[in-house]
Amino acid sequence: VASVEDSIGSRPELRWIMAGNSVRELLTRATGHHRAGELDAAKALYREILAQQPDNADALHLFGLVCHQLGDHQTAVQYIRRAVEQVPDQPVLRNNLGDALHKLGDLPAAIQQLRRALELRPDYAGAHLNLGSALAESGEHEAALTHSREATRLDPERPEPWFNLGMLLMDQVMLDEAARSFRAALALRPHYPAAVNGLLYVLNLLPNADALEVAEEHRRVASVMFGSVAQSSDWPVPGGKIRIGYVSGDFRAHAVAFFFEPLLANQDLDRFETYCYSDVARADATTGRLRELAQHWREISGLSDSAVHERIRQDRIDTLVDLAGYTEHGRLGVFAGKPARCQISFIGYPNTTGLQAMDFRVVDECTAPESEGECGTEKLLRIEGGFACFRPPAHAVGMSVGRASHDGTVIFGSLHKLEKVNAQVIETWARILLSNDGSRLLIARDQLDAWHQKRLALAFESHGVSADRLELLHLCDPAQSFFEIFSRMDVLLDVFPWSGHTMACCALWMGVPVVSLRAQAHAGRMVASVLQGMGLAELVADSQEEYVRIAVELSRDQQRLSMLREGLRERVEKSPLRDEAGFAGKFEEACLSAFRETLSRVPMERR
C-alpha cells in the first residue's frame, strides 16, 4: 500500500475537485486521523465527504485506501476503481488499486494496474514492490525478483522492499542473499517482527551455518526486539493443581496440532489445570477438537501482548508453554514479560528463543545430547524416549499402507518445503539416483509450480540426472490430502540441515521408510530421534556419503525394503512416537520438575 503521505500529499492537481470550505475542512480532519492511524474515524469522515460529493476522487481513493488497510479489499477495489476512472493518470491510485486487487485474489487485474502505474512513473518504488509480490504469486518468479530488486534500489531506506526481496530470495532458495536482505530490513527497522522471523527461519536453513553462531543471533535479535519489555516477578505461590498454559496461533489444521493434540488428550486432570490461549483468527474442525479437550480456552486473536500478559496473570498460570517461537503467529512478546514463573519452549520452533525470560526448551537425548552442553538461553529439558509424540489425522488412520502398484522401479520421494531442498540436498539426491539406474525421484509440494519444476529439473540435470527420472508434482488442490502421495513412493529422503520432522512422521505412519542425515543442531536431528526411537538407527547417517550409501543399499534390497514397509505402521504404533499416555506423563513430570526448579530460585522471604 502506498504511504498515506503518498496518497494524500503528492497530488495538488486533484485539489480542483474539492469545492467548498466544509469539504476542505472535512478532508483535513480525515487525513489527520488517517496519518495518525485512526482509521475508523478517518473512514467516517471520508464517507461524509462522499455524501456531499459522490464523485470526489480524493475521498473515493482515500475511503478505499482505509478499507484496504482494514482488510475490506472488495470495498477498497470498488472505491479506488471509481477514483481511477475520475483521474486515470495517477500512478498512486493505480498502485493502491493493484495492491487491493492482489489482496482480493485477482492477480491478472492487479498486475495490469501495477504495470500501468509503472508506465506512468517508472521510478515508483512502491509499485515495483507490489508488482514483485503479485508476479511471484502468479508464478513469474524471475520478473518478481527483478522488480523487487528495483524497489530496493529506488528506495533503499525503506525496510519493506528489503523484506519482500528476502522472501522472494528464500522462495528461490537463494538463502545467503535472503539472509542479507532480511538483515538490511532490520538495520532500517530493528523492531520488524516479520523480518526477524524471516531472518531466523533462513538461518535454520543455511547448510553451513554454525549452530553456536545461529544461537547467538537469536540472542541478539531477542535483545533488540524484547529487551525493553518489563518482566513480572511477583508470581502466585501454587496451591493445589499446577496451572499450565499453552500459547499458539496454530490451534488449527497445522503440523503443530499433530503433536499437541495427543498431549492435550492425555493430560493428568488430577495434577494439572490446563489453559489454551488461542491466537487463531479463523477456527476450523481442529480448533473445535482442541477446544473440547482443553479445560479452559482463551481467545487472544487481536489482543496486544500486554493484554494477553494480563489475561495470563489473571488466570494465575504457573507454567506457560510456547508452541510457536519465531513463526507467523508467535507471541514471544508475551513471554518476554514473564507472566508465569516457569516458561517453556516446545515443538513449534526448533531452536532457542534467545529470551532470557524463557526458562526451558524441550529436547531429547538424541536431538541435544548432554555431552554437547547447552546452546541458547534456555536450560534444556530432555524428555526420555523422544521430544514429541504424534497423532495422525483421522482421515489418515484408515488409509492403506504401501505402494498402490509396483513395477520394480524404486521411487524415492520428498514432500518437504522447497526452501529446505537446497543445493547440497539436490547434489546428494542426484548421487543416490545415479547410483541406482532403476530409481526415480518424486517431489510433490504446493509451491511446486511450473517455474519451480523447471528450476529443479535444471538443477538435477547439472548433476547428470535427466528430467525423465523426476516426477515433479504441483499439489494445487486444497482438498487433496498429501497422505495419498505416500502410496506412490518407496522411500522418503529427508532434508538437511533442517530435517522434515512432520513429514517423516507422516511417511512412517503410511509405511514409507525414511533416510535421514543427522545435522549439528536440534532442527537437524528431529527425524533421527524418531528413527532411533523406532529401532531404525541404521537409517540415520552422520555424513552425506553415508546418507547416499544407506539410501542406495536400501533401494537395491527389494526384499528388505518390502519387509520394512509391511511392518512399519505396527512398528510406529509400538514406538515412543505413538505412546500418547506415556509421553504425556513424561512431559508433565518434566514440567513439574522445571516448575519446582524455578520455584526454588525465589528467596524464602519472597515466598
Side-chain angles (χ1 to χ4, degrees):
V1 183
S3 70
V4 179
E5 291 300 326
D6 282 344
S7 300
I8 295 170
S10 65
R11 304 189 327 285
E13 63 272 26
L14 294 186
R15 298 306 180 209
W16 67 271
I17 298 172
M18 305 303 296
N21 291 330
S22 62
V23 171
R24 288 195 184 95
E25 182 183 348
L26 283 173
L27 184 68
T28 299
R29 288 167 53 198
T31 55
H33 286 301
H34 204 158
R35 288 187 177 98
E38 299 163 356
L39 301 183
D40 289 327
K43 182 178 178 181
L45 291 173
Y46 292 139
R47 192 189 297 276
E48 191 173 337
I49 295 169
L50 290 171
Q52 298 183 44
Q53 297 183 359
D55 293 329
N56 185 306
D58 273 341
L60 287 168
H61 172 221
L62 295 171
F63 181 82
L65 180 60
V66 167
C67 292
H68 186 30
Q69 291 171 291
L70 290 170
D72 183 1
H73 308 302
Q74 187 166 359
T75 301
V77 167
Q78 177 187 346
Y79 279 83
I80 301 175
R81 194 189 297 279
R82 286 174 58 192
V84 168
E85 291 169 355
Q86 294 284 332
V87 191
D89 61 347
Q90 286 300 312
V92 173
L93 275 65
R94 298 277 186 176
N95 176 57
N96 283 345
L97 176 57
D99 195 48
L101 286 163
H102 181 188
K103 298 301 190 296
L104 195 60
D106 191 346
L107 284 172
I111 291 169
Q112 181 183 33
Q113 292 296 332
L114 293 165
R115 283 183 167 146
R116 179 59 182 149
L118 288 172
E119 289 173 3
L120 293 166
R121 193 165 110 199
D123 64 347
Y124 190 174
H128 282 290
L129 173 73
N130 289 330
L131 182 56
S133 296
L135 288 170
E137 195 168 330
S138 68
E140 298 182 51
H141 299 274
E142 292 177 9
L145 197 57
T146 297
H147 284 284
S148 294
R149 291 191 193 279
E150 186 68 0
T152 62
R153 186 188 70 82
L154 291 167
D155 196 359
E157 300 303 313
R158 187 180 175 196
E160 288 86 0
W162 290 107
F163 169 74
N164 272 30
L165 178 59
M167 294 298 289
L168 291 176
L169 290 165
M170 182 175 67
D171 176 64
Q172 299 189 28
V173 203
M174 302 167 70
L175 302 177
D176 289 301
E177 193 175 349
R180 288 194 292 272
S181 292
F182 290 131
R183 286 194 173 101
L186 289 170
L188 295 165
R189 184 188 296 163
H191 291 264
Y192 193 167
V196 164
N197 293 350
L199 173 61
L200 299 183
Y201 182 78
V202 166
L203 292 183
N204 285 300
L205 293 170
L206 289 174
N208 298 317
D210 180 85
L212 292 175
E213 291 178 2
V214 172
E216 183 57 34
E217 187 91 13
H218 281 71
R219 288 193 194 93
R220 287 194 294 269
V221 166
S223 177
V224 172
M225 286 290 293
F226 310 115
S228 61
V229 177
Q231 294 188 15
S232 298
S233 59
D234 55 338
W235 309 285
V237 176
K241 297 180 182 180
I242 299 296
R243 297 187 175 201
I244 185 167
Y246 298 94
V247 182
S248 180
D250 296 322
F251 292 148
R252 54 192 174 89
H254 186 276
V256 165
F258 292 167
F259 304 96
F260 179 63
E261 186 170 355
L263 175 61
L264 194 61
N266 289 274
Q267 58 194 317
D268 185 344
L269 301 182
D270 294 328
R271 294 193 298 172
F272 293 90
E273 192 168 353
T274 303
Y275 293 72
C276 287
Y277 297 89
S278 173
D279 199 13
V280 175
R282 295 183 180 180
D284 59 16
T286 301
T287 311
R289 290 199 312 274
L290 296 175
R291 185 167 188 161
E292 287 295 317
L293 292 171
Q295 291 174 278
H296 305 277
W297 189 268
R298 304 285 189 250
E299 297 286 353
I300 63 171
S301 178
L303 298 182
S304 66
D305 287 347
S306 59
V308 177
H309 179 282
E310 185 56 33
R311 173 76 269 187
I312 292 167
R313 297 275 292 167
Q314 290 174 4
D315 289 335
R316 299 173 63 84
I317 297 300
D318 299 307
T319 298
L320 191 66
V321 182
D322 174 50
L323 301 173
Y326 291 100
T327 61
E328 182 181 1
H329 302 289
R331 282 302 194 109
L332 290 179
V334 173
F335 286 80
K338 204 76 163 68
R341 184 189 303 273
C342 178
Q343 300 194 150
I344 300 172
S345 174
F346 170 60
I347 203 63
Y349 186 73
N351 211 323
T352 179
T353 63
L355 285 177
Q356 296 298 328
M358 193 71 75
D359 300 290
F360 297 91
R361 178 162 57 95
V362 174
V363 296
D364 61 38
E365 184 57 35
C366 179
T367 64
E370 288 191 39
S371 59
E372 294 184 359
E374 297 181 1
C375 181
T377 51
E378 307 88 355
K379 185 171 183 179
L380 299 182
L381 196 62
R382 293 181 177 85
I383 308 293
E384 182 184 356
F387 68 94
C389 64
F390 168 75
R391 175 181 287 190
H395 74 270
V397 172
M399 295 180 73
S400 61
V401 175
R403 283 278 297 277
S405 61
H406 204 296
D407 61 0
T409 300
V410 174
I411 306 296
F412 294 103
S414 165
L415 280 157
H416 307 292
K417 293 180 179 179
L418 296 188
E419 60 266 26
K420 290 187 174 184
V421 185
N422 58 61
Q424 288 189 19
V425 168
I426 290 172
E427 187 271 338
T428 305
W429 289 357
R431 288 167 57 192
I432 292 171
L433 293 173
L434 293 173
S435 298
N436 188 333
D437 292 337
S439 64
R440 300 176 70 243
L441 175 62
L442 165 64
I443 302 178
R445 191 73 197 187
D446 53 351
Q447 303 161 274
L448 195 55
D449 59 18
W451 185 88
H452 277 294
Q453 290 178 16
K454 182 179 179 181
R455 176 183 66 81
L456 284 171
L458 289 172
F460 277 96
E461 186 179 10
S462 71
H463 293 292
V465 176
S466 59
D468 61 354
R469 299 190 64 186
L470 304 175
E471 183 178 358
L472 304 175
L473 183 61
H474 186 197
L475 300 181
C476 53
D477 182 0
Q480 181 183 28
S481 169
F482 69 86
F483 278 83
E484 298 169 4
I485 309 300
F486 291 118
S487 66
R488 299 170 60 177
M489 64 179 70
D490 295 295
V491 179
L492 183 82
L493 296 176
D494 194 17
V495 280
F496 52 88
W498 187 343
S499 58
H501 178 239
T502 302
M503 208 52 67
C505 292
C506 295
L508 292 164
W509 169 258
M510 292 301 297
V512 180
V514 181
V515 177
S516 184
L517 172 60
R518 192 194 327 263
Q520 62 169 316
H522 173 88
R525 297 172 174 175
M526 296 185 290
V527 175
S529 171
V530 172
L531 292 172
Q532 183 172 298
M534 291 177 58
L536 292 173
E538 70 270 16
L539 298 182
V540 179
D542 288 311
S543 68
Q544 287 171 243
E545 290 71 22
E546 188 180 8
Y547 179 95
V548 172
R549 178 187 60 77
I550 292 171
V552 171
E553 289 181 356
L554 182 60
S555 68
R556 288 176 176 171
D557 192 339
Q558 288 287 330
Q559 184 177 5
R560 177 191 174 205
L561 182 57
S562 178
M563 291 179 61
L564 182 58
R565 288 178 61 90
E566 287 175 5
L568 204 49
R569 182 173 290 184
E570 183 180 359
R571 189 189 284 256
V572 171
E573 282 288 5
K574 293 180 178 179
S575 76
L577 185 66
R578 288 286 297 125
D579 183 7
E580 295 186 2
F583 176 81
K586 292 176 184 177
F587 182 86
E588 289 171 342
E589 282 299 327
C591 286
L592 279 175
S593 175
F595 178 73
R596 292 176 185 133
E597 182 174 330
T598 56
L599 187 65
S600 68
R601 298 173 189 170
V602 182
M604 290 298 296
E605 61 269 19
R606 291 271 308 281
R607 296 189 187 181

